[in-house]
Amino acid sequence: EYDIDDVIACFRYYGSVAGTDAGRVIDTGRPGAISRVVHAPVGVCGLITPWNYPLLQASWKVAPALLAGNTFVLKPSELTPSTSILLMDTLREAGVPDGVANLVTGTGPEVGAVLSSDPRVDLVSFTGGLETGKRIMVAAAETVKRVALELGGKNPNVVFADADREAAIDNALTAVFLNSGQVCSAGTRLIVEESIHEEFVAEVVRRARQIRLGGPFDQEAQTGPLISTAHRDKVHAYVQAGVAEGARLLCGGFIPDTPELGRGSFYPPTVLDGCKTSMRVVQEESFGPVMTVETFTTEEEAVRLANDTVYGLAGAVWTADASKAQRVSEALRHGTVWINDYHPYVPQAEWGGFGQSGNGRELGLAGLAEYRETKHIWQNISPGPSHWFEPSQAGVQQ
Ligand code: NAD
């Protein structure tokens, strides 16, 4: 339900931006010369979206692409295309002219790869996994397309001893177990101050064990299944790799076999303690309900651990000390930093990653800029010769 509210908020926000920015008039310092920097559409945009939050991820691309005057071909994930198909109907009803908003369904290698390499496509905006993003960048290079990548994350949730304990524990759970961890910004890495580690983690585990798994029609369910059994097996393999590398499994870490859960691709909230940044389960995105726990004793160590990742999408810092909160948030190399909170965002503020979390921005004005060319128009209103090539007095010389 709140997904749809967010989709509406995205279109409303970009609607509110329409007509507010006609570019810049430049003072050229020359009488009779008018210089303007204006926006132009990029052209045909290939929009490739992931299976999670499918309509929301599509709307973050479709709304600014349309506002900037582009046409687009949307390729939703083959796993969750339905809401994007319905979005096309809504756009048609809203009066978007024929040929402007287009959708092609199909798999990544069949359709996504074509969009990334076809010379008629001017820009590819992609949200999805790191390895796919790399492939798209390579495919787009041949025709020097613009490429905007929104990739995965391995997001730190840093908790200092002076943080509001109840809020930090509650949000540590929401950060990673919401949607069974299938959120790019999931706070999978709990990085907690050594002095409160034992007590904090014990309470996180106590509550994690009580999270109720269930299908979409289970009114009591607090979180649902993973997207597929293949994905569940991948998540399980990451947990097993973590244990093999020395992590302590405190809860979860098994494939449920009860009558209700055994038939689906469920995986229980899992907590691995005693983790090191070198472990695969700490470095690589499992995209499942798996929390890894690391500890620190100094602020510098907390920052170092939080930044020790190839990703840089989002992270949080929990502390009652306002100046520490500011210092740490500025030191974090992540595109979104929450202080004493986790997950909220607004369409007015940019979303995107540092490092291998991507090279683009969505939402906000930077999210619109992705879909615009910048053009300089110079007009001389009293044209005359430049006198650069004066006819030679000595006659023509070859
Ligand atoms: P994915 O990379 O498997 O697929 C994403 C899209 O790319 C799908 O439409 C797929 O069909 C297409 N695709 C696959 N191979 C392709 C190829 N060779 N060429 C072109 N297109 C291809 O990702 P997923 O499993 O659908 O989504 C989960 C991932 O998305 C996670 O890594 C998650 O972190 C990331 N994600 C990031 C954000 C963000 O804002 N940064 C938001 C949501 C999801």
Side-chain angles (χ1 to χ4, degrees):
E1 181 191 322
Y2 54 84
D3 221 22
I4 298 298
D5 288 343
D6 285 358
V7 169
I8 294 167
C10 174
F11 277 95
R12 285 220 166 110
Y13 163 64
Y14 281 116
S16 75
V17 171
T20 60
D21 178 8
R24 281 150 38 227
V25 175
I26 307 296
D27 180 357
T28 63
R30 297 197 198 175
I34 298 172
S35 170
R36 286 192 303 134
V37 174
V38 299
H39 308 299
V42 173
V44 178
C45 303
L47 312 178
I48 305 176
T49 50
W51 58 262
N52 73 317
Y53 294 93
L55 183 60
L56 188 65
Q57 296 303 316
S59 66
W60 288 11
K61 299 183 190 305
V62 165
L66 286 178
L67 175 57
N70 299 284
T71 63
F72 69 80
V73 181
L74 171 63
K75 194 216 83 67
S77 166
E78 57 274 36
L79 300 173
T80 53
S82 307
T83 48
S84 296
I85 295 170
L86 292 172
L87 175 65
M88 292 298 115
D89 293 339
T90 308
L91 293 176
R92 203 173 306 116
E93 275 172 39
V96 174
D98 285 352
V100 171
N102 306 278
L103 176 139
V104 186
T105 54
T107 66
E110 275 170 336
V111 179
V114 173
L115 280 180
S116 317
S117 58
D118 192 303
R120 292 168 295 178
V121 174
D122 301 289
L123 170 152
V124 182
S125 175
F126 167 76
T127 302
L130 174 58
E131 291 310 316
T132 317
K134 289 181 192 172
R135 249 174 260 139
I136 287 175
M137 214 168 181
V138 169
E142 192 57 40
T143 49
V144 196
K145 288 186 203 325
R146 285 198 180 195
V147 180
L149 302 175
E150 303 293 335
L151 309 175
K154 205 58 206 176
N155 312 293
N157 185 22
V158 179
V159 181
F160 284 92
D162 63 359
D164 179 316
R165 196 66 56 88
E166 176 55 27
I169 290 172
D170 178 83
N171 280 276
L173 293 155
T174 314
V176 57
F177 298 132
L178 180 80
N179 291 347
S180 289
Q182 299 168 111
V183 186
C184 53
S185 50
T188 50
R189 295 179 63 197
L190 176 65
I191 300 176
V192 59
E193 192 159 351
E194 180 61 49
S195 59
I196 59 163
H197 158 256
E198 211 171 303
E199 189 193 331
F200 193 94
V201 173
E203 184 57 16
V204 164
V205 168
R206 192 184 71 77
R207 297 187 195 188
R209 285 203 173 105
Q210 293 168 25
I211 294 174
R212 197 187 142 93
L213 296 178
F217 303 110
D218 180 348
Q219 295 296 317
E220 313 273 285
Q222 293 168 310
T223 189
L226 298 176
I227 185 71
S228 64
T229 48
H231 182 51
R232 180 202 60 194
D233 294 347
K234 184 183 125 187
V235 171
H236 188 50
Y238 269 115
V239 173
Q240 288 179 313
V243 171
E245 285 185 86
R248 279 191 308 283
L249 180 64
L250 299 185
C251 67
F254 62 91
I255 294 175
D257 58 2
T258 60
E260 319 86 78
L261 302 183
R263 285 181 299 130
S265 45
F266 291 93
Y267 201 75
T270 297
V271 179
L272 290 170
D273 199 7
C275 291
K276 303 263 174 294
T277 34
S278 57
M279 293 175 178
R280 271 188 64 209
V281 69
V282 177
Q283 285 298 331
E284 295 177 24
E285 186 187 47
S286 72
F287 220 51
V290 181
M291 176 194 285
T292 60
V293 184
E294 297 158 83
T295 58
F296 65 90
T297 51
T298 65
E299 187 179 315
E300 291 70 29
E301 192 186 5
V303 169
R304 187 174 52 72
L305 289 174
N307 285 341
D308 192 359
T309 166
V310 297
Y311 290 109
L313 188 60
V317 49
W318 293 83
T319 174
D321 178 339
S323 62
K324 182 157 64 180
Q326 286 300 320
R327 277 195 310 273
V328 173
S329 61
E330 287 189 19
L332 291 185
R333 301 277 305 158
H334 296 267
T336 295
V337 177
W338 293 290
I339 297 172
N340 296 331
D341 214 333
Y342 208 100
H343 282 316
Y345 78 96
V346 286
Q348 296 90 329
E350 278 74 4
W351 178 265
F354 284 34
Q356 295 185 28
S357 284
N359 61 3
R361 285 294 178 275
E362 299 205 291
L363 303 178
L365 294 178
L368 175 60
E370 296 282 358
Y371 295 94
R372 284 173 156 175
E373 286 286 9
T374 302
K375 184 194 280 185
H376 178 207
I377 299 177
W378 171 285
Q379 183 179 6
N380 189 339
I381 54 175
S382 47
S386 70
H387 299 297
W388 188 260
F389 299 107
E390 292 292 0
S392 165
Q393 299 301 321
V396 178
Q397 292 176 354
Q398 290 292 341

